[in-house]
Amino acid sequence: MSRRLVVDPIACTGHGLCAELFPEGVELDPWGYPLLAAEVPDGHLGHARRAASACPALALRLVRAERVAAASAETAGAPRRG
Amino acid sequence: MIPRLTLGVAERGRVDHAAHETLHGPLGETRHRGRGLLEELERAGLRGRGGAGFPTAAKLAAVRAGKGARSLVVNAAEGEPMSAKDAFLLESAPHLVLDGALLAAEVAGASTLLVAVPEDARAAARSLAAALAERPDTQEIETALVPARFIAGEESALLRYLGGGPLRPRLTPPWPAERGLGGKPTLVQNPETLAQLALVARHGASWFRAVGPDVRPGSTLVTVSGAVRRPGVYEIDPRTEVPVVLGLAGGTLEPTRAVLIGGYFGAWLDGAAALGARLDPAALAPLGAALGAGVLVVLGESACPVAELSRAVWWLAGESAGQCGPCVHGLAAIADALVALAEGRADAAAAERIAAWTSLVERRGACRHPDGVARHVRSGLRVFATELEDHRLHGPCAACSAPPVLAAPVPEAALA
């Protein structure tokens, strides 16, 4: 079952621990916030899990990839303003 | 001009309840209601007119399928600085909006009805209050004044505010149709959407679809401003060519440099491209634009596009709800870099850097604010590349200090 990391952008405060613990799957943008790889390879699941549980803001989660696909299909399209 | 929503408005100014019943027929005699109306709306293909274009029937069905004390919120909190259509509708044809709200609440099983009006829309609030007093069937409908902020138009932020919380978006899903006011399913609809719904209920889907393209059926309200003789709100068929729409607004005052289509979350089109376009989605999509909430701003040759772009983006950056890092810091960086470019203080790679940042902020907020801003910036970089480079090399031009075309209110911080 393929997995990926998702971040709650409201909770995330840019500590950057995730990028230190799992550099293969997390990159930081110029402002210190995580850019997440599309998928976590099976061999890296341990690192990904560690990164998620170490997040001081509890903003990072490891989820099944297809759940994310379903959620982002719903949010696709123009900015939602009523 | 297609007088559907605006039927009788040109003659009367404001259509009161008596005139409304004469023009459109009494609400009690409406042909389609309840489940029948839901089916008719599906056939009509009505989509939300707040900017996102979500199918109205799907939203209604979702709330209808929900349980508990459901609510309907009429979202008149436009936020979009260049749109005036929802205020116009409440001022001119409030009873269509109220009919739509009552009919939609019936379909959705909503027992609480709330109209959210921005606190600076005084004429709209006055007309709404008068309309509620003109008819006996709206005692359930309450009015809430909300801050006149851009983010107030965002559904989840509006609902949090109405529920006593901060005016800030929350993470979705769950969507408001699943969990909204009081944690119960809530239908949030734009006033124009509800007014169109009231017409579909009376005249049916075939009548509705006789105007507009198949992907966005029905007439649409547009707010036309900038270098035109008669800025204002007009009801059009989206298949209409842009020059014809500008003709309704009295025509342009000078040669057109560019047109902002869709508002602050929209896209700039080069003058020639815009004047050759129609407003339906099929014609706008290849140009990277969408009608959104129906905004057209004409930028004449005498205006400075760099000043307009940097001012608008700087304002938008300040309108971030301040929750998500990429939005807060990314938009500020983009805005600062654009202002530096406009003032001739940027290096040769500045435009490229801004373009890279717009891609970096996209889809990284809880709401779509950064995405809307990214669209605006990207189109500006593309259409105004020559002027941007000219400002980078030579600093502000003569037109930079001209009065703004995009009426971005200047936040207090900028006055210091």
Side-chain angles (χ1 to χ4, degrees), chain A residues 8-10 29-31 33-35 72 74-82, chain B residues 50 52 78 150 153 155 171 175 190 265 324-325 329-330 333 360 364 366 368:
Chain A
D8 172 345
I10 298 176
D29 71 14
W31 312 288
Y33 293 85
L35 293 156
S72 55
E74 259 180 276
T75 55
R80 194 180 169 94
R81 296 179 63 80
Chain B
E78 281 178 296
F150 194 62
E155 289 184 354
L171 218 49
W175 302 109
N190 167 270
F265 275 179
C324 305
H329 301 287
L360 270 185
R364 291 184 64 220
R368 313 296 279 181

Side-chain angles (χ1 to χ4, degrees), chain B residues 279-309:
Chain B
L279 291 173
D280 62 277
L284 288 181
L287 302 172
L291 194 50
V295 169
L296 281 92
V297 187
V298 177
L299 200 65
E301 294 277 10
S302 70
C304 173
V306 175
E308 297 295 340
L309 177 67

Side-chain angles (χ1 to χ4, degrees), chain A residues 31, chain B residues 313-314 316-318 320 325-336 361 369-371 373-374:
Chain A
W31 312 288
Chain B
V313 173
W314 190 80
L316 281 165
S320 165
C327 183
V328 173
H329 301 287
L331 298 193
I334 290 168
D336 284 347
V361 298
H369 188 72
D371 312 20
V373 180

Side-chain angles (χ1 to χ4, degrees), chain B residues 159-228:
Chain B
L159 292 181
R160 276 180 90 184
Y161 181 80
L162 293 174
L167 185 63
R168 288 173 151 189
R170 66 164 170 77
L171 218 49
T172 48
W175 302 109
E178 300 156 329
R179 194 183 304 167
L181 271 188
K184 297 287 190 272
T186 301
L187 181 68
V188 183
Q189 291 289 6
N190 167 270
E192 183 188 346
T193 314
L194 291 170
Q196 297 280 12
L197 180 150
L199 294 179
V200 173
R202 285 180 166 87
H203 307 294
S206 309
W207 172 88
F208 184 72
R209 299 188 74 102
V211 167
D214 276 348
V215 287
R216 195 191 204 273
S219 66
T220 199
L221 293 177
V222 289
T223 310
V224 186
S225 63
V228 290

